[in-house]
Amino acid sequence: MLRSSYDGVVRLHDLRSPRDVEGSYVDPTDDSAIYSLLPRGRETLLVGSNRHNLLKIFDMRLGSKCYSYLDAQ
């Protein structure tokens, strides 16, 4: 479940997890309120913010364990 707020942070929640937040996505240059969220597939998140009519694109894979070809050895 994705949740946005007026502090400019998009939070990813998993209701099965004991943790409060599984991941956070934030733009360090703009902390304006988030008004719209659109997940595109399993990897991309489009976010519409309040200030300057910005459309932000987040890669949801960032910050997670990524796959590498070295893992196959």
Side-chain angles (χ1 to χ4, degrees), residues 15-73:
L15 300 177
R16 301 168 294 182
S17 174
R19 293 185 288 210
D20 290 337
V21 177
E22 293 297 316
S24 297
Y25 305 97
V26 63
D27 181 4
T29 61
D30 179 38
D31 61 351
S32 61
I34 304 294
Y35 284 164
S36 60
L37 295 172
L38 178 64
R40 301 285 296 174
R42 295 183 181 196
E43 301 171 352
T44 306
L45 176 63
L46 299 176
V47 176
S49 70
N50 177 25
R51 193 180 308 151
H52 308 299
N53 297 324
L54 290 176
L55 178 65
K56 302 175 187 183
I57 302 172
F58 291 105
D59 187 352
M60 295 175 64
R61 297 172 295 177
L62 293 177
S64 64
K65 181 178 177 359
C66 297
Y67 297 102
S68 172
Y69 69 95
L70 296 174
D71 293 338
Q73 295 178 357

